[in-house]
Amino acid sequence: MKILVTGGLGYIGSHVSVLLLEKGVDVVLVDNLDNARIEVLEQIERITGKRPSFEQVDLKDQSRVEALFETYPDLEGCIHFAAHKAVGESIEQPLLYYENNIGGLVNILKPLTRQGIPLIFSSSCTVYGQARELPITEETPLQPSTSPYGFTKQMGEQIIQDSCKANPNFKSILLRYFNPIGAHPSAQIGEYPQGVPQNLVPFLTQTVIGKRPLLNVFGSNYDTPDGTCIRDYIHVMDLAQAHIESLNYLLSSKQNSSCEIFNVGTGRGASVLELIQEFERATGEKVPYELSAPRAGDTVAAFADVTKIEKQLGWKAQFSLQEALKSAWDWEQQIHVLS
Ligand code: UD1
């Protein structure tokens, strides 16, 4: 079986590529190297003993995308990760986000829909905004997004749903990720933020290793048990496995409808302070932090109802928060050695 993985050198794409290769799937990995390092290809090969086909293609280039499908006429599925993902940057440079995230998606949908190649799309729990009720199910109403990044996820979902309606031989699964953290157990691949990390866990591990003086806990007077925000943190290996189950499901023709949506989380919420405590327990390290002002635009609490994915795909998160945090720490120490 041959599967196209766009953004395959990125954080989640690299972990999914490893699992696919380990299952004997032929992976065609595409990346424009905008926000990923070519070294990840070597690391994927080191972990799996297999080298995926690699094409440096920018999905904004329609002719290169079409040429890609001519080079690989026997693709059986596509997992589409290639997108920008920084909320703040998307507010500063909205056109960059619309052009890349929407333009790239449209370009790849043309050959996919024409050839009836099924698609798994990386969506995000950001589409729910601050949900009125928790946990969040797939039926929870979406809120207007507060950033162009969030809009590209909502629009991306809509574009794919419309494409499924218009093309009876085209199927898709939209995966709404909650908060992916952690790294491969080998500590050979993981999240590699460029510049100052915006997300909690890479900022935390960089602080503990001494790259940053202090972790700011954004907001401590929220209406939550300890006053800090709550999220559903999921180990990237669990998230990667959810893609494998989604692919099996897509290819097995068991789907109820041509476009299905699944939340991918653990179903458990953890506050920022709980996460810090769990990190300290898992690693024996002390986290230097201080309580500071809330971050504009933050959702107070979000965690998933995972009933649908458990029932339909038979997938369930296996790793604990401590295991995920320990793997993030192992990875941080590894990058420290490399850099
Ligand atoms: C953020 C994005 C979301 C995106 C996701 C991708 C925002 C508002 N949301 O989600 O759209 O899909 O990343 O992974 O940017 N925190 C701190 N100190 C820090 C960093 C974060 O206290 O230095 C807190 C935040 O306030 C939040 C929690 O940690 O409560 C998680 O933050 P983060 O990792 O940035 O994820 P989200 O905000 O959930």
Side-chain angles (χ1 to χ4, degrees):
M1 181 172 35
K2 194 171 282 179
I3 301 294
L4 181 68
V5 181
T6 75
L9 294 180
Y11 175 37
I12 304 169
S14 58
H15 289 79
V16 171
S17 296
V18 163
L19 289 193
L20 289 169
L21 289 162
E22 284 175 347
K23 296 212 171 326
V25 173
D26 218 348
V27 173
V28 179
L29 204 150
V30 172
D31 208 297
N32 66 358
L33 300 178
D34 240 22
N35 192 21
R37 299 168 315 132
I38 191 67
E39 291 82 358
V40 175
L41 195 58
E42 315 296 330
Q43 304 294 45
I44 291 174
E45 189 177 358
R46 203 160 294 157
I47 295 169
T48 63
K50 292 173 194 160
R51 194 175 182 87
S53 310
F54 174 67
E55 302 286 343
Q56 186 176 349
V57 171
D58 190 325
L59 300 182
K60 294 195 288 296
D61 185 338
Q62 177 75 66
S63 60
R64 294 289 311 278
V65 172
E66 292 296 338
L68 186 69
F69 282 78
E70 277 163 30
T71 310
Y72 301 97
D74 49 351
L75 293 168
E76 287 181 53
C78 172
I79 311 182
H80 178 55
F81 296 104
H84 291 321
K85 59 167 188 178
V87 174
E89 183 185 56
S90 81
I91 294 168
E92 285 156 22
Q93 300 186 65
L95 299 183
L96 181 78
Y97 274 68
Y98 291 121
E99 183 178 45
N100 189 57
N101 294 9
I102 301 298
L105 174 65
V106 169
N107 283 348
I108 200 156
L109 276 170
K110 288 178 190 169
L112 291 176
T113 52
R114 201 168 56 230
Q115 298 180 31
I117 300 171
L119 167 73
I120 297 173
F121 177 65
S122 304
S123 190
S124 163
C125 68
T126 196
V127 300
Y128 297 114
Q130 180 55 71
R132 294 213 176 83
E133 278 177 32
L134 295 169
I136 296 170
T137 75
E138 290 80 357
E139 304 303 318
T140 297
L142 308 189
Q143 306 286 342
S145 182
T146 51
S147 75
Y149 159 75
F151 268 122
T152 66
K153 291 298 172 193
Q154 292 186 342
M155 269 183 236
E157 288 194 358
Q158 186 65 50
I159 291 167
I160 295 166
Q161 283 167 330
D162 292 344
S163 300
C164 285
K165 274 186 213 137
N167 298 277
N169 64 342
F170 176 63
K171 292 187 298 184
S172 182
I173 286 183
L174 314 179
L175 295 180
R176 291 179 177 160
Y177 311 153
F178 279 67
N179 288 56
I181 61 165
H184 190 271
S186 67
Q188 298 288 311
I189 52 170
E191 191 170 8
Y192 199 92
Q194 290 189 347
V196 182
Q198 304 303 307
N199 294 117
L200 175 61
V201 171
F203 199 100
L204 183 156
T205 55
Q206 287 196 5
T207 305
V208 176
I209 211 146
K211 278 189 204 160
R212 317 263 158 222
L214 202 62
L215 170 72
N216 288 298
V217 172
F218 295 143
S220 53
N221 290 313
Y222 285 113
D223 184 16
T224 61
D226 66 17
T228 65
C229 292
I230 292 175
R231 296 286 185 277
D232 185 338
Y233 296 95
I234 175 166
H235 196 308
V236 68
M237 293 303 292
D238 274 329
L239 178 58
Q241 187 59 34
H243 290 75
I244 305 295
E245 305 303 344
S246 300
L247 191 63
N248 288 338
Y249 186 72
L250 259 182
L251 299 175
S252 69
S253 318
K254 277 193 255 162
Q255 255 179 289
N256 293 336
S257 75
S258 61
C259 187
E260 283 204 54
I261 300 174
F262 295 101
N263 285 340
V264 197
T266 65
R268 293 181 301 274
S271 74
V272 179
L273 290 179
E274 279 168 349
L275 183 139
I276 292 172
Q277 273 171 14
E278 294 291 298
F279 181 89
E280 291 183 341
R281 280 193 200 123
T283 64
E285 301 288 336
K286 199 97 199 96
V287 181
Y289 72 87
E290 72 180 14
L291 303 179
S292 45
R295 177 170 71 178
D298 258 345
T299 297
V300 180
F303 53 94
D305 182 312
V306 284
T307 313
K308 185 177 177 196
I309 191 164
E310 286 184 11
K311 275 201 181 134
Q312 270 174 253
L313 299 192
W315 171 92
K316 194 176 176 20
Q318 302 296 324
F319 292 98
S320 67
L321 180 55
Q322 281 201 20
E323 286 169 317
L325 292 167
K326 175 73 170 64
S327 74
W329 178 234
D330 291 344
W331 165 242
E332 184 64 64
Q333 290 172 289
Q334 181 65 22
I335 355 181
H336 198 62
V337 172
L338 294 177
S339 57

